[in-house]
């Protein structure tokens, strides 16, 4: 029985898109776990109470704050009923379920957000930056609690009422007439609407948008919003998205007339129109085909009319061409207000987003489309076309799109994912059921690995989608900062290593240059030594030749018994202490003595020959003078002095 109940619970949540398990179990308990009864309980098929009661000519329907129970039946369990259904006298605080629900008035438009009560005012400003594009430091916020709304204060501690109106302006804008704007936003506006022969008097708060009023009129008149033709609305740019407080309505009552617009000319194709103000009420309103209007729209023979062109041809062989075709047809079907799809292969998209330097890195969002899913048109038209979603995706994501409708295209993508990210990522995508498509797969770079971070299925609303994107961005920002720090450290190490290598090479070159200089100097020194040695040898050879010549000219030494012999004793110059002695004939000339001394290595060019008494330099005397005439006989001692 437990297994059956789990299956019933899963089917019930899949059909009704109720993600709160407690709420789903409540409805099933009330229906005695009968799946069909529980679905009918949550999704009534017999129309709205207001349409059933609209029998009188004049209908007075009062709508205060978000209470539109006259038009849309409530399906919440008793413990989750809104406290403001009966009246506005009791204040409904935001802290009942831990979340704070706010209505943000920005640029004359209202944006509903739901944020955890533990989030701070600073966190709220970051969320508002995604919606408005105004940086946190330039935001001027009123209606958030006055002086208590410091950046570190939690939203749950500010005592905000449910759906409290918070006014947001940029510091660049002049904060004028703020009290007047606040008064208009809290004013209740009465609309007297005429339709054929019936009158409706509706009351709305100033925070309601014109689009929401038109959707309510659809419930009363069965005229879809896109077929409504109005008279009486003031001329305002972007009227449907403007709140009633900023339209310029007449007080105390504004007169309006509505009727069905004339049928449009025949068209060559059908267009799927989505009418929704939030994710919970998102639905495909109608299908328009040529030649049919009104109630006949729901009974067109689709098989006999030309269908919309599929987003991707069957049996795509080139992945890059398939992505280009997908982006072109997606833009043709849903208009220009769509993400900028990457035109290339998945591997190229990963390189463009995840494999760049950390400071330039982005998240990769893989949008998976399926034509057979009932959620596709709502997701594409309402969620991907939301300004907040588009701004977030454009600034922080690279978006890659693919159509999984045809099996061959499905297999091609799975192969590409397995090649680029691995088999685990391929199995993750393959396990997504068709009824949960379309899906946005978020891929990021984590610790040098590229992997799937999260999968956002198509059965979510704008706030859930934005929340999922913001959560991924916060995780991505932390990881990107860490990767950037590691890259800076790695770059610093590489720079140090490069500088060390360059210093080493410079030192090596300097050593090589020094070695070359040293070698050159040694070569030059050797050459100089060789030259000097050569000169010395030449000089020695020259001296030796002179000595030989001088020795040849020296006459023979006379014998001891010869008559008139001149005995000459020669003292050598310092450092020598020796003497040399030679006998000459008295008739020998001074040239003979000088030749003798030259043969001993003391040429007259370098040495003086000094006689002892009287002291005189014999080298300056006439060389032809005899020794006898020079009084060097019979013996004499002479000294050699260097010149």
């Amino acid at each position: 029985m437990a297994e059956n109940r789990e299956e019933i619970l899963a089917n019930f949540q899949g059909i009704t898109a109720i993600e709160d398990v407690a709420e789903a179990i409540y409805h099933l308990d009330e229906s005695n776990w009968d799946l069909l009864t529980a679905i009918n309980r949550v999704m009534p098929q017999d129309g709205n109470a207001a349409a059933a009661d609209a029998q009188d000519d004049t209908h007075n329907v009062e709508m205060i704050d978000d209470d539109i129970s006259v038009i849309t039946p409530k399906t919440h369990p008793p413990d989750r009923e809104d406290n403001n259904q009966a009246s506005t006298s009791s204040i409904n605080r935001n802290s009942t379920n831990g979340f704070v629900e706010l209505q943000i008035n920005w640029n004359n438009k209202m944006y509903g957000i739901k944020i955890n009560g533990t989030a701070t005012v600073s966190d709220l400003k970051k969320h508002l930056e995604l919606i408005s594009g105004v940086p946190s430091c330039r935001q001027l916020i009123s209606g958030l609690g006055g002086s208590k709304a410091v950046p570190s204060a939690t939203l749950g501690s500010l005592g905000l009422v449910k759906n409290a109106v918070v006014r947001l302006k940029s510091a660049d804008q002049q904060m004028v007439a703020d009290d007047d704007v606040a008064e208009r936003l809290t004013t209740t506006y009465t609309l007297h609407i005429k339709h054929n022969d019936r009158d409706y008097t509706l009351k709305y708060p100033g925070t309601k948008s014109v689009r929401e009023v038109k959707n309510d009129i659809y419930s009363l008149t069965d005229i879809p919003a896109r077929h409504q033709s109005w008279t009486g609305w003031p001329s305002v740019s972007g009227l449907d998205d403007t709140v009633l407080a900023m339209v310029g309505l007449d007080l105390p009552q504004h007169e309006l007339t509505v009727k069905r617009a004339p049928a449009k000319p025949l068209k060559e194709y059908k267009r799927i129109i989505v009418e929704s103000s939030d994710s919970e009420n998102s639905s495909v309103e109608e299908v328009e085909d040529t030649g049919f209007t009104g109630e006949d729209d729901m009974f067109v023979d689709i098989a006999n009319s030309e269908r919309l062109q599929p987003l991707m041809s069957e049996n795509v062989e080139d992945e890059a061409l398939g992505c280009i075709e997908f982006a072109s047809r997606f833009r043709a079907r849903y208009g220009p207000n769509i993400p900028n799809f990457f035109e290339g292969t998945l591997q190229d998209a990963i390189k463009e987003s995840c494999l760049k330097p950390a400071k330039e890195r982005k998240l990769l969002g893989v949008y998976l489309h399926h034509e057979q899913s009932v959620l596709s048109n709502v997701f594409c038209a309402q969620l991907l076309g939301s300004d907040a979603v588009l701004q977030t995706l454009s600034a922080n994501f690279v978006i890659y799109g693919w159509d999984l409708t045809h099996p061959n295209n499905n297999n091609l993508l799975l192969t590409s994912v397995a090649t680029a990210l691995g088999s685990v990522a391929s199995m993750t995508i393959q396990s997504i059921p068709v009824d949960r498509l379309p899906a946005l797969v978020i891929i990021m770079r984590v610790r040098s690995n590229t992997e799937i971070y999260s999968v956002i299925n198509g059965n979510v609303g704008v706030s859930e989608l934005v929340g999922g994107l913001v959560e991924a961005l916060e995780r991505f920002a932390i990881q990107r900062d860490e990767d950037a720090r590691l890259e800076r450290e790695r770059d610093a190490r590489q720079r140090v290593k490069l500088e060390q290598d360059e210093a080493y090479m410079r030192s090596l070159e300097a050593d090589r240059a020094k070695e070359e200089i040293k070698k050159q100097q040694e070569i030059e020194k050797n050459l100089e030594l060789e030259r000097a040695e050569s000169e010395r040898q030449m000089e020695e050879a020259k001296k030796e030749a002179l000595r030989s010549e001088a020795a040849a000219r020296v006459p023979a030494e006379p014998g001891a018994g010869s008559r008139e012999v001149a005995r000459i004793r020669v003292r050598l110059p310092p450092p020598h202490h020796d003497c040399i002695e030679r006998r000459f004939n008295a008739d020998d000339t001074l040239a003979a003595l000088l030749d003798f001394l030259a043969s001993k290595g003391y040429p007259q060019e370098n040495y003086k020959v000094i006689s002892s008494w009287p002291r005189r330099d014999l080298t300056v005397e006439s060389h032809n003078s005899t020794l006898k005439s020079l009084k060097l006989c019979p013996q004499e001692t002479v000294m050699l002095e260097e010149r």
Side-chain angles (χ1 to χ4, degrees), residues 199-214:
D199 293 342
Y200 300 93
T201 301
L202 308 179
K203 295 182 179 181
Y204 290 96
T207 57
K208 284 289 185 180
S209 67
V210 174
R211 186 186 304 278
E212 291 176 302
V213 173
K214 291 183 177 182

Side-chain angles (χ1 to χ4, degrees), residues 27 41 66-69 72-76 81-82 84-85:
H27 290 297
R41 172 187 174 86
D66 294 329
D67 182 16
I68 55 172
S69 58
T72 305
K74 296 286 185 178
T75 59
H76 298 294
E81 287 291 335
D82 295 335
N84 61 349
Q85 279 189 346

Side-chain angles (χ1 to χ4, degrees), residues 5-37:
R5 288 199 171 190
E6 289 180 359
E7 183 177 356
I8 293 173
L9 176 61
N11 292 335
F12 178 77
Q13 287 185 298
I15 295 173
T16 62
I18 296 177
E19 296 183 356
D20 192 322
V21 177
E23 182 178 351
I25 293 176
Y26 167 78
H27 290 297
L28 289 171
D29 284 339
E30 290 294 315
S31 305
N32 197 23
W33 288 86
D34 187 291
L35 180 60
L36 184 59
T37 304

Side-chain angles (χ1 to χ4, degrees), residues 286-351:
E286 63 177 357
V287 180
E288 176 186 341
D289 196 9
T290 60
F292 293 87
T293 60
E295 292 76 10
D296 293 337
D297 291 352
M298 304 303 295
F299 303 99
V300 176
D301 185 2
I302 299 178
N304 295 330
S305 62
E306 184 179 356
R307 298 180 61 90
L308 288 172
Q309 188 179 32
L311 296 182
M312 189 175 290
S313 303
E314 298 185 23
N315 302 322
V316 172
E317 296 181 355
D318 189 294
E319 184 182 352
L321 294 179
C323 289
I324 295 174
E325 181 183 48
F326 178 88
S328 175
R329 294 186 178 183
F330 195 97
R331 186 177 296 105
R333 178 183 295 186
Y334 296 105
N337 198 30
I338 62 171
N340 185 21
F341 287 103
F342 182 82
E343 297 182 352
T345 65
L346 178 62
Q347 186 65 52
D348 292 338
I350 293 175
K351 292 179 181 179

Side-chain angles (χ1 to χ4, degrees), residues 423-467:
S423 58
V424 176
S426 178
M427 293 174 61
T428 301
I429 293 178
Q430 189 175 9
S431 63
I432 302 175
V434 175
D435 58 355
R436 304 298 292 272
L437 292 173
L440 186 62
V441 181
I442 299 177
I443 298 172
M444 71 170 62
R445 186 82 170 171
V446 179
R447 291 186 295 276
S448 72
N449 293 323
T450 304
E451 57 188 34
I452 293 178
Y453 174 74
S454 63
V455 178
I456 302 178
N457 294 308
N459 57 342
V460 297
V462 174
S463 59
E464 290 89 344
L465 177 58
V466 173

Side-chain angles (χ1 to χ4, degrees), residues 467 483 608:
D483 291 345
K608 297 177 182 179

Side-chain angles (χ1 to χ4, degrees), residues 522-535:
E522 289 181 355
I523 292 173
E524 292 177 356
K525 182 179 179 181
N526 293 333
L527 291 175
E528 182 65 21
L529 291 175
E530 291 177 359
R531 185 183 63 79
E533 179 65 19
S534 177
E535 291 179 355

